[in-house]
Amino acid sequence: MALPKGTIMQFTSEQHLEGAVLEREFTLGEIPGILWTPASASPSAPAPLILLGPPPLGLRKAYPRLVARARHAAADGFASATIELPGSGDRPRSPAAEQALADLRRAMQAGEPVTDEIIDALVLPLVDKAVPEWQGALDALLSLPELGGPVGYSGGVISIGTRLAVVEPRISAAVLFAGSFVPRAIVEEARRVTIPLHVLLQWDDEGNDRQAALDLFDAFGSKEKTLNANMGGHAGVPQFAGEAAAQFFTRHLK
């Protein structure tokens, strides 16, 4: 569901971070978010924008990794922004999503296969809610004079990034993190993705179905797509993999 017409972005706080990065917290209706802009951004020289997809942990818990990515982006001349996912942080929980998450945990703890029904119940409603919110946030962000296109998307739940790459023409390139379960319907949508992609995959990710991630990568319809696979678990992404992702955005957003 799209944001109500006339939803206004309101800045609630700001601070200057080391490296001349301006961090501003905002609300978009009842959705919290954070915007980081480099000192170089101005109405006469608007900065390209990277949307930072957060993990479903809540912005407070995910903040250290998000601000690290934002600082790196600012050093390359990009602004970046993130918003709280539906059901994360202080946002209202969905009973159906909570039940699906409980079913997922129970199956994994019992060593049982995670069924398509569980994956669909957990992921598809999140994608359906989050993508229109991201589009509403993009409307508000691009109305700021110091921000401009092109726009990239980085990280987050890979199914959300896939849907955004299909439906949002303002996104020119995406870095996607293969670290979450993917519904079969999203794999089919991936065939319609045409923008340049850079996909990060941790080969030994304990919470990720490696073959499903490879199948999704194979399904993407982009002529330019790169898979950066590294050994190690979910939290073990090497620094050089992040540097390669940054170089990808420099090529496509500048």
Side-chain angles (χ1 to χ4, degrees):
M1 181 181 294
L3 294 176
K5 190 175 181 179
T7 301
I8 297 174
M9 172 183 281
Q10 294 185 321
F11 289 106
T12 56
S13 70
E14 70 173 57
Q15 64 173 327
H16 289 272
L17 306 180
E18 186 178 351
V21 180
L22 176 61
E23 177 184 280
R24 287 176 285 177
E25 296 186 4
F26 64 84
T27 57
L28 189 64
E30 297 182 355
I31 304 170
I34 309 173
L35 170 64
W36 295 272
T37 50
S40 59
S42 69
S44 61
L49 176 65
I50 298 175
L51 305 178
L52 299 182
L57 304 173
L59 292 187
R60 291 192 185 96
K61 289 184 179 179
Y63 176 81
R65 68 178 78 172
L66 290 168
V67 73
R69 289 161 58 195
R71 282 174 162 163
H72 198 159
D76 291 334
F78 300 118
S80 52
T82 190
I83 57 174
E84 190 79 85
L85 290 176
S88 291
D90 295 327
R91 297 192 64 188
R93 300 294 192 268
S94 160
E98 293 291 298
Q99 181 60 55
L101 183 58
D103 293 341
L104 172 66
R105 288 172 175 164
R106 184 165 50 249
M108 294 183 70
Q109 289 171 358
E112 299 173 352
V114 178
T115 66
D116 289 344
E117 290 75 18
I118 293 175
I119 295 172
D120 288 354
L122 182 65
V123 178
L124 290 178
L126 175 63
V127 173
D128 290 342
K129 293 177 182 177
V131 167
E133 291 181 355
W134 266 120
Q135 292 181 292
L138 189 54
D139 290 340
L141 289 162
L142 291 182
S143 72
L144 300 174
E146 68 271 27
L147 302 183
V151 178
Y153 177 85
S154 174
V157 177
I158 196 168
S159 293
I160 293 175
T162 300
R163 173 74 61 81
L164 270 171
V166 172
V167 304
E168 182 44 71
R170 291 172 291 184
I171 294 178
S172 301
V175 171
L176 302 177
F177 297 177
S180 52
F181 290 99
V182 180
R184 293 183 184 275
I186 296 295
V187 175
E188 290 305 310
E189 289 185 36
R191 304 185 193 284
R192 295 161 50 201
V193 174
T194 58
I195 62 173
L197 296 178
H198 186 96
V199 180
L200 298 177
L201 170 65
Q202 287 301 101
W203 201 250
D204 304 306
D205 191 332
E206 58 279 4
N208 186 38
D209 184 331
R210 181 197 303 161
Q211 189 57 53
L214 294 173
D215 290 344
L216 177 64
F217 180 79
D218 188 53
F220 284 125
S222 303
K223 291 183 179 179
E224 180 187 336
K225 57 180 180 179
T226 299
L227 180 66
N228 189 323
N230 293 281
M231 305 305 292
H234 187 79
V237 180
Q239 182 177 344
F240 62 79
E243 293 168 354
Q247 291 168 1
F248 169 83
F249 279 133
T250 297
R251 289 199 307 274
H252 291 287
L253 301 185
K254 283 193 172 182

